[in-house]
Amino acid sequence: MTSNRFLLFVLLALFPLFGFQSKPEPEPVDQVYPLLDAANSRWFYFSSATRPFGMVNLSPDHELDGAWNSGYRYDADSIKGFSHIHAWQLSGVSVMPVSYTASPEDLLSDYYSPYSHDRETIRAGYHRVYLDRFQVDAELTATHRVGLHRYRFPSGKQSGVLFHLGGMLGPSAMVEGRLKKLDDHTLQGSVTNEPTSRRPHPITVHFQVAFDRPISGWVEQSDSPHIIVGFGELDGEALQMKVSISYTHPDNARENMEKELSHWDFDRVEQDTRALWNELLSRIQVEGNTETQRRRFYTDLWKALQGRRTISDVNGAYPDHTGDTFRIGQLPLDEAGNPRFRHFNSDSFWGAQWTIGVLWSLVYPDIAEEFANSFLQYYRDGGLIPRGPSGGNYTYVMTGASSTPFFVSLYQKGIRGFDVETAYEGLKKNHLPGGMMSKSGYEHRTALGGNVEDYIDMGYVPYPNPRGRFGGHEQGAGQTLEYSFQDWTLAQLAKALSKEADAQLFLARSQNYKNVFDPASGWMRPKNMQGQWMDPYDPYDYGKGFVEANGAQFTWFVPHDLPGLAELMGGKEKAVEKLQQQFLEAEKLGFTSGTSHAVETHPEYRRIPVNYGNQPSMQMAYVFNYLDRPDLTQYWSRKVLERAFSALSPHLGYNGDEDQGLMGSLAVLMKLGLFQMNAGTEENPLYELGSPIFDKAVIRLHPDYYPGKTVTIWAENNGPDRYYIQRKSFNGKPETGIGIRHQDLVNGGVLRLQMSEMP
């Protein structure tokens, strides 16, 4: 054998041992695609340098004016700063690295820079971008309350960091900006978010800044809200900057930095942030389908842990503006002196009954419990359990008592690390005059727009509101349907707590949905104060008596009594026929009202009969399960996923209103093939089955809450056209119903589904 032939023989023998094998599967965190839907971004949507629910959400901004079409916008060509807060009705602490040779004063009014995606890197917890104008390479990462920057400036130029201390920044006008030098390496400052139409009180952001190099210059002008802090020529060497924030006091901003980031190791912070994301994302492992769909799944899951942001400091101090005057509150501490939970900023829980409420309670019960305790802190401070607080304010965002299903679901699933009696007291208050059901959207100073009084006395909320206009979303028929469902969920908790009189009261009220069903037209239909149906009435016209939806969509908003709704429609067969026709029509438009929430009032899109771009339609594919047609649930849930929740692009993603994890959570649940029609609020809640898109999914259960270790969902013989479940078993036992009970699921085991092209 010649030497060459011998060498070839050896290489072939060793082939399997070398890197010629297939690459290992990437970690879940590495599959996240942060640019999903980034071209349609709004202020709080985009994330990069942040931790789960982090107080700091640091990223570049392309547009600065307004809550909509602002923040990071993929198709924009200029960066206007890096700001640290992108939250529901909150912003603050925007900075911009700059370089110059002369006249830095000119930059105070002109500091935007073009950039290119070709020199941009984004991953979970990290953002890197090159500012063409200033030749600055900028890197961003973060701890929970501290943003960490690393800049490399060009040789031969002066280097500096500009602080944006006034003017519009996303949803808020920045006023009373202050910045002072504490020593050669340290700054202290503050900016105040002025009130908005949604957040009624101001909120101040205190911040501390530390540099790893001494400050050598200071540029400001009396007529400019900006200040440039200079560092001379750095000859290509890196400048690092920490920015910690607090909503309570400058001393707490300093303590947040001391406790969370005492060193200057940028790469270590990025790796720690990556590891934290990976731990949470790894609680679900998926196999099969395409790489694109696995990446989209982990991006959806990433979004489910975004948006709703921490507002409390490491020591438990938090801003409380639930009353007329601002105060600094203090969270309860454990034996070691650490806060027992964090306090949160949060958009509405409107729609959370089918999304984060279900996902968090199953996969992240620790996070769900924290939110429950945070919302109870608002109740202790201000007398109401909120539906969407911002900066310590009640915002009264959206309608109804949307927090009720969230709390009830936690209790029914055994997640009870909060004061249940206090929670019930607060939830009941929300369902009575003076509570959340009295408040329409953003109704800050009155309690008449929610019109719960007429709902109690007459059995429905009239439209238009005879008392006048007091807020937003005063859409009587839609409010009636929401209140009916929420009443049913509260009745379940009352029953569980042996409050029988309350249980009967709220069960009776839960039947009020029937009072806005018009048997002549077959649709839910608004009624006026005199009990007359709206006439003329078009069930496909958007926003006429229904909140962010039309009557065709909202007709199916009876998640607590679908058999009762079917009976009103003339039986289950007729209900199936009606709903099937709606899906067939909606499929022509991709099941959404365009590609963003902003266009759902378009003359064509507004008439869609099923809209998976907004919360009121989220449950519709699963209604078929309750009409004895699980095959249609399986078929349409898969079709919706294909059209509405499969893209992996900056220009597509959720095709609508991704309110801080709601759409991401919905997509995760549907892709796992799990859903809860009534939000999991009955005793031992049911997880209904849809059509999972992965061959295998393993859910790691939290050991402090659930006895089982894992739940495995095997979808055997799965494929793009195999929507249907032919047979199913759990832990070897055949299952014949539409789902699996909570207690069985969290005891752990294997759910096997035999998929087929035939129902």
Side-chain angles (χ1 to χ4, degrees):
M1 182 181 297
T2 66
S3 59
N4 286 342
R5 290 178 62 193
F6 176 77
L7 179 60
L8 179 61
F9 175 82
V10 171
L11 287 173
L12 289 172
L14 295 177
F15 187 91
L17 302 179
F18 292 120
F20 306 108
Q21 302 174 72
S22 61
K23 291 192 299 183
E25 283 292 313
E27 295 278 7
V29 69
D30 299 320
Q31 299 186 65
V32 169
Y33 179 70
L35 286 172
L36 184 72
D37 226 356
N40 303 310
S41 188
R42 57 199 278 198
W43 184 254
F44 62 58
Y45 173 78
F46 182 82
S47 292
S48 52
T50 188
R51 291 188 175 183
F53 307 106
M55 182 185 284
V56 163
N57 182 12
L58 175 59
S59 58
D61 294 322
H62 302 127
E63 300 297 340
L64 302 180
D65 192 355
W68 294 89
N69 303 320
S70 60
Y72 188 95
R73 302 279 293 178
Y74 182 81
D75 290 332
D77 60 6
S78 294
I79 289 176
K80 301 178 180 179
F82 305 139
S83 55
H84 291 73
I85 301 170
H86 296 86
W88 163 242
Q89 293 297 297
L90 286 181
S91 54
V93 196
S94 177
V95 302
M96 184 75 161
V98 294
S99 66
Y100 48 92
T101 54
S103 304
E105 295 81 7
D106 294 344
L107 296 176
L108 294 175
S109 58
D110 176 17
Y111 60 89
Y112 302 163
S113 172
Y115 80 109
S116 168
H117 292 302
D118 294 338
R119 301 188 71 173
E120 183 177 38
T121 303
I122 311 172
R123 49 184 177 257
Y126 175 84
H127 202 128
R128 183 174 189 170
V129 68
Y130 185 79
L131 303 177
D132 294 341
R133 176 180 176 183
F134 301 114
Q135 299 173 282
V136 172
D137 180 72
E139 295 177 276
L140 313 172
T141 190
T143 68
H144 206 68
R145 297 172 177 87
V146 187
L148 181 58
H149 306 238
R150 182 163 64 187
Y151 304 140
R152 288 182 175 83
F153 295 88
S155 298
K157 289 189 176 184
Q158 300 288 309
S159 58
V161 178
L162 180 146
F163 287 81
H164 173 110
L165 299 171
M168 288 302 299
L169 189 61
S172 304
M174 297 289 105
V175 297
E176 300 176 359
R178 295 180 176 87
L179 187 68
K180 66 179 181 180
K181 182 179 174 182
L182 298 183
D183 58 45
D184 285 347
H185 290 79
T186 314
L187 306 175
Q188 185 183 90
S190 64
V191 288
T192 296
N193 287 251
E194 283 204 316
T196 71
S197 61
R198 302 184 178 195
R199 174 179 40 75
H201 298 295
I203 182 71
T204 296
V205 182
H206 304 277
F207 60 95
Q208 178 125 338
V209 184
F211 298 99
D212 68 348
R213 295 179 180 277
I215 299 167
S216 62
W218 189 278
V219 181
E220 65 178 318
Q221 291 181 337
S222 59
D223 60 347
S224 171
H226 306 131
I227 292 174
I228 297 174
V229 179
F231 297 91
E233 293 188 24
L234 296 181
D235 295 324
E237 295 187 12
L239 170 72
Q240 294 193 114
M241 175 177 71
K242 305 175 189 176
V243 180
S244 61
I245 63 174
S246 168
Y247 295 106
T248 60
H249 196 275
D251 289 347
N252 288 332
R254 174 181 49 78
E255 185 176 358
N256 289 342
M257 185 185 295
E258 290 173 350
K259 292 287 182 64
E260 288 193 358
L261 189 53
S262 60
H263 61 83
W264 286 103
D265 191 336
F266 185 98
D267 296 333
R268 174 179 155 193
V269 174
E270 187 205 342
Q271 286 303 309
D272 288 348
T273 300
R274 178 188 181 280
L276 182 58
W277 275 118
N278 202 49
E279 189 280 321
L280 291 180
L281 296 173
S282 295
R283 291 195 193 179
I284 307 179
Q285 299 273 357
V286 295
E287 298 177 14
N289 209 309
T290 65
E291 179 186 358
T292 295
Q293 288 314 307
R294 292 192 298 275
R295 292 191 67 195
R296 175 61 199 261
F297 176 84
Y298 284 112
T299 306
D300 290 331
L301 190 57
W302 185 61
K303 284 295 181 185
L305 301 169
Q306 291 277 7
R308 297 161 200 268
R309 307 227 157 259
T310 302
I311 60 169
S312 55
D313 298 315
V314 291
N315 60 15
Y318 67 89
D320 173 25
H321 223 323
T322 57
D324 292 331
T325 58
F326 176 79
R327 62 179 284 271
I328 298 174
Q330 175 62 50
L331 297 176
L333 305 177
D334 62 17
E335 295 77 8
N338 299 314
R340 293 186 180 275
F341 53 89
R342 290 168 291 175
H343 209 31
F344 294 104
N345 198 85
S346 176
D347 199 350
S348 177
F349 270 55
W350 193 74
Q353 69 267 16
W354 299 314
T355 57
I356 58 176
V358 179
L359 179 67
W360 289 359
S361 59
L362 178 61
V363 186
Y364 307 102
D366 47 334
I367 290 170
E369 194 171 79
E370 261 199 293
F371 270 82
N373 278 300
S374 175
F375 274 35
L376 286 181
Q377 192 67 45
Y378 282 101
Y379 176 63
R380 294 184 182 98
D381 291 338
L384 290 172
I385 294 177
R387 60 189 183 216
S390 178
N393 288 240
Y394 292 119
T395 70
Y396 309 109
V397 54
M398 304 311 297
T399 52
S402 57
S403 300
T404 299
F406 180 74
F407 276 89
V408 178
S409 177
L410 297 187
Y411 182 87
Q412 298 285 36
K413 294 170 183 175
I415 304 168
R416 300 175 184 176
F418 56 91
D419 187 330
V420 176
E421 285 294 336
T422 298
Y424 181 80
E425 175 185 286
L427 296 175
K428 180 180 177 181
K429 184 176 180 180
N430 273 350
H431 288 240
L432 299 173
M436 282 294 168
M437 282 186 180
S438 284
K439 299 272 193 178
S440 62
Y442 322 114
E443 184 182 354
H444 306 305
R445 295 172 181 83
T446 50
L448 297 170
N451 210 346
V452 71
E453 298 83 1
D454 286 333
Y455 171 80
I456 294 171
D457 295 339
M458 301 166 56
Y460 67 97
V461 178
Y463 177 79
N465 188 344
R467 293 174 172 80
R469 293 300 305 274
F470 304 96
H473 304 310
E474 294 180 21
Q475 305 282 1
Q479 289 168 297
T480 302
L481 293 167
E482 287 183 60
Y483 298 177
S484 298
F485 165 60
Q486 291 158 2
D487 279 344
W488 186 87
T489 65
L490 186 57
Q492 306 312 300
L493 183 56
K495 180 180 176 182
L497 298 177
S498 300
K499 301 178 186 296
E500 292 301 328
D502 282 0
Q504 293 306 311
L505 168 68
F506 292 112
L507 272 178
R509 280 174 43 169
S510 76
Q511 295 296 297
N512 282 347
Y513 77 88
K514 296 177 179 178
N515 297 327
V516 291
F517 182 82
D518 172 25
S521 67
W523 300 106
M524 297 294 176
R525 186 172 180 177
K527 275 182 179 176
N528 65 16
M529 188 69 176
Q530 291 71 42
Q532 300 165 325
W533 296 114
M534 174 188 276
D535 189 29
Y537 173 59
D538 179 354
Y540 296 99
D541 198 2
Y542 176 95
K544 300 299 176 61
F546 301 94
V547 183
E548 294 191 358
N550 58 39
Q553 297 163 22
F554 240 112
T555 287
W556 303 94
F557 196 108
V558 190
H560 60 295
D561 190 16
L562 289 169
L565 175 63
E567 186 177 343
L568 293 177
M569 292 179 170
K572 290 182 178 179
E573 288 187 10
K574 289 188 176 180
V576 167
E577 183 180 350
K578 185 184 190 73
L579 187 56
Q580 174 78 345
Q581 188 58 41
Q582 287 185 238
F583 270 93
L584 289 169
E585 289 299 314
E587 187 176 21
K588 298 173 184 176
L589 288 174
F591 305 108
T592 64
S593 291
T595 57
S596 71
H597 185 38
V599 299
E600 70 181 19
T601 57
H602 180 279
E604 181 181 15
Y605 300 147
R606 68 188 292 134
R607 300 184 64 80
I608 194 169
V610 178
N611 177 20
Y612 268 86
N614 207 333
Q615 285 82 3
S617 291
M618 284 179 167
Q619 87 289 10
M620 288 179 69
Y622 290 82
V623 170
F624 289 109
N625 268 337
Y626 289 84
L627 303 178
D628 301 331
R629 291 299 303 273
D631 58 309
L632 291 179
T633 284
Q634 294 154 25
Y635 177 82
W636 286 117
S637 64
R638 187 75 76 91
K639 285 290 186 181
V640 167
L641 288 174
E642 290 171 2
R643 296 291 299 277
F645 299 121
S646 288
L648 199 70
S649 161
H651 297 93
L652 292 170
Y654 296 108
N655 304 287
D657 199 8
E658 212 302 300
D659 280 328
Q660 299 185 20
L662 296 190
M663 291 293 183
S665 298
L666 176 70
V668 166
L669 290 165
M670 292 180 71
K671 290 170 184 181
L672 294 174
L674 300 176
F675 195 75
Q676 290 192 313
M677 180 61 67
N678 64 37
T681 54
E682 84 271 35
E683 185 178 3
N684 195 12
L686 180 71
Y687 292 89
E688 302 118 61
L689 300 179
S691 182
I693 70 168
F694 297 107
D695 299 342
K696 181 182 179 182
V698 179
I699 302 170
R700 293 193 297 118
L701 299 171
H702 198 300
D704 293 344
Y705 294 85
Y706 298 133
K709 292 184 177 180
T710 60
V711 174
T712 300
I713 302 171
W714 278 100
E716 298 173 348
N717 194 42
N718 206 355
D721 299 319
R722 296 168 191 154
Y723 313 127
Y724 302 107
I725 301 172
Q726 283 280 5
R727 292 182 300 279
K728 52 185 177 289
S729 65
F730 188 65
N731 289 339
K733 179 183 176 181
E735 295 285 344
T736 58
I738 63 171
I740 307 294
R741 290 289 171 183
H742 175 78
Q743 199 55 56
D744 294 330
L745 200 70
V746 299
N747 280 333
V750 178
L751 174 63
R752 288 189 179 274
L753 308 174
Q754 186 68 32
M755 309 303 292
S756 172
E757 295 179 357
M758 299 295 293

